[in-house]
Amino acid sequence: MSSSPLILTSDPHHPHQDYDRLKEVKQFDDSKLGVKGLLDSGLASSSSSIPLIFHHPPDSRPGPIPHTRPTHTHHSIPIIDFSAPKPILTDQITRAASTVGFFQITNHGIPLHVIQRTLAAVKSFNELPAEVKTAHYHREMGRGVTFSTNVDLYQSKAASWRDTLQMRVSPVPPNPSDIPEVVREELLEWNKEVERIGKRVLGFLSEGLGVEEGRLKEMTCLEGRTMAAHYYPYCPRPDLTYGLTSHTDPGVVTVLVQNEVRGLQVKVGEEWVDVEPVEGSVVINIGDILQIISNDEYKSVEHRVLASPLQEPRVSVAVFCNPSNRDGLFGPLPELVSQKKPARYRQFTLSDYLQRFFKKELDGKTLTNYYRL
């Protein structure tokens, strides 16, 4: 841990001309405290404010957070029974993927205790003493495992209220010794469950497009997987910041599990719709690459996580399923292109795509517009 004391500006009326954001971001990052460490140290325990680096611009703040009840909207996120007959599943998943871009699945065969153990392990890691966690805090993704606050901390206009343990799990798994011991067994086991579920989901999505069941899998769309275990602690001022700013996911599909603390929202039309926690369910959402591959048949939609005023932390584990073929060309499937519906995107390599993605901040990020013809 940095030997210099961490002093972050927390006065919301602090004059901006005297505020050196980069300096304070670096000071926070060098401390290796993370958001949970800020709370534990007492630097963000007041209900009056939070450090200025977490203040989002006034015109983009979430405002009052009604976490005690669901937000009233005219839409809901589909909940799909994975034990239903195959034709019904194909129809329901296709409809969800082509409209709201999100759905939850139940009765998927993953034991409830496996999901609970995975989430509990992530919670336990984030609640370890600061001196234990700081040994893991770094941003060097080349090592396969990182633990930090906000992957886009240095690019964003404002930081978000979460800490993340991220690791590459396929095609090149990390060295097990680089994974914190308290989560090692659970996250490696969870990766295997995601691979099994992901294969089935991609099969239904392929058939929904009218192509062979194994088409997306053959394109290596399940082989490049990255896992992000998010921890969203209590936030004294959830009206000033976010847990995760609005964005679309860059990959093919995302497989996510969450605990009972709500906060995940999906933009449907002009409304933000809660993804209500359902015990034992798995959340699936469409990423930008699949929207491109499907030639706009499937929708990659904006989603976000609100910061929470609840004392119980929100915990989620997302696995991003991407192609492993970085040098091959991706674009709309030829089977989906015709005179009536020409290709809406140009082709690209995954290497170029990911390079562009990580150059930008997360807020509002999507690459579908960049590759659109």
Side-chain angles (χ1 to χ4, degrees):
M1 187 184 299
S2 171
S3 58
S4 60
L6 179 64
I7 304 172
L8 291 175
T9 306
S10 59
D11 179 1
H13 304 294
H14 182 73
H16 283 250
Q17 63 267 29
D18 297 332
Y19 170 54
D20 186 339
R21 172 170 173 75
L22 182 59
K23 179 181 176 181
E24 294 212 11
V25 163
K26 190 173 189 314
Q27 186 183 17
F28 166 71
D29 201 34
D30 288 347
S31 77
K32 302 186 177 183
L33 281 173
V35 174
K36 179 64 164 62
L38 279 181
L39 286 170
D40 291 345
S41 68
L43 289 171
S45 60
S46 168
S47 61
S48 63
S49 193
I50 54 177
L52 197 59
I53 64 170
F54 293 96
H55 289 210
H56 285 252
D59 61 349
S60 64
R61 291 174 185 170
I65 310 296
H67 263 71
T68 55
R69 63 189 185 280
T71 304
H72 177 72
T73 67
H74 296 93
H75 303 280
S76 61
I77 303 304
I79 298 174
I80 298 174
D81 184 346
F82 226 48
S83 65
K86 187 175 181 180
I88 293 176
L89 273 179
T90 303
D91 178 66
Q92 290 181 341
I93 289 174
T94 302
R95 193 180 315 130
S98 60
T99 54
V100 296
F102 264 76
F103 54 94
Q104 296 196 66
I105 56 175
T106 59
N107 296 319
H108 39 63
I110 302 175
L112 177 60
H113 70 85
V114 172
I115 294 174
Q116 291 175 333
R117 191 167 65 221
T118 301
L119 294 169
V122 172
K123 183 175 184 288
S124 295
F125 167 72
N126 281 275
E127 295 175 359
L128 287 171
E131 59 269 21
V132 177
K133 285 193 298 179
T134 53
H136 298 283
Y137 193 102
H138 70 89
R139 298 179 178 276
E140 301 166 37
M141 198 57 201
R143 290 162 57 179
V145 182
T146 68
F147 172 59
S148 64
T149 296
N150 296 197
V151 66
D152 64 338
L153 182 66
Y154 288 91
Q155 291 83 29
S156 64
K157 298 181 186 72
S160 295
W161 202 256
R162 76 180 183 284
D163 296 324
T164 301
L165 178 68
Q166 182 168 306
M167 66 180 190
R168 181 187 61 240
V169 290
S170 176
V172 181
N175 187 327
S177 63
D178 289 334
I179 307 171
E181 187 176 2
V182 69
V183 294
R184 186 180 303 154
E185 181 181 330
E186 290 81 1
L187 293 187
L188 290 175
E189 180 182 6
W190 182 244
N191 173 52
K192 294 176 182 177
E193 296 287 0
V194 169
E195 184 176 19
R196 183 176 63 81
I197 285 292
K199 181 180 178 181
R200 290 192 65 195
V201 169
L202 287 185
F204 289 120
L205 290 169
S206 294
E207 292 190 324
L209 292 174
V211 299
E212 292 294 322
E213 181 180 358
R215 186 74 162 91
L216 291 172
K217 187 173 183 299
E218 289 166 4
M219 295 171 65
T220 75
C221 288
L222 187 60
E223 292 179 15
R225 295 191 302 282
T226 299
M227 183 181 296
H230 297 306
Y231 181 90
Y232 305 86
Y234 157 73
C235 182
R237 290 299 304 272
D239 58 320
L240 296 178
T241 190
Y242 287 93
L244 185 59
T245 50
S246 175
H247 66 287
T248 61
D249 288 349
V252 179
V253 294
T254 301
V255 180
L256 176 137
V257 284
Q258 58 181 343
N259 70 351
E260 70 283 358
V261 178
R262 65 168 53 94
L264 176 60
Q265 294 186 323
V266 176
K267 195 170 189 181
V268 182
E270 294 304 311
E271 290 189 320
W272 285 103
V273 180
D274 294 310
V275 181
E276 285 296 316
V278 175
E279 187 178 53
S281 71
V282 175
V283 180
I284 308 289
N285 69 276
I286 306 303
D288 288 353
I289 289 179
L290 185 52
Q291 177 171 324
I292 292 170
I293 288 174
S294 72
N295 208 26
D296 281 348
E297 290 295 324
Y298 294 153
K299 309 302 180 190
S300 174
V301 299
E302 287 184 61
H303 51 287
R304 67 185 186 184
V305 177
L306 300 177
S308 174
L310 304 178
Q311 292 296 327
E312 182 67 18
R314 172 179 167 80
V315 179
S316 67
V317 180
V319 178
F320 306 101
C321 301
N322 304 299
S324 61
N325 181 3
R326 293 200 164 217
D327 298 318
L329 287 174
F330 290 89
L333 290 175
E335 302 97 312
L336 305 181
V337 176
S338 65
Q339 282 190 327
K340 285 187 176 181
K341 188 168 184 182
R344 295 182 175 178
Y345 300 92
R346 56 191 171 89
Q347 293 187 321
F348 56 88
T349 65
L350 189 65
S351 295
D352 177 73
Y353 180 91
L354 293 176
Q355 186 178 25
R356 294 183 187 281
F357 182 85
F358 287 109
K359 279 182 179 177
K360 296 175 64 182
E361 69 169 312
L362 195 59
D363 189 25
K365 182 184 291 185
T366 177
L367 284 180
T368 53
N369 292 334
Y370 180 80
Y371 292 102
R372 190 176 289 277
L373 291 170

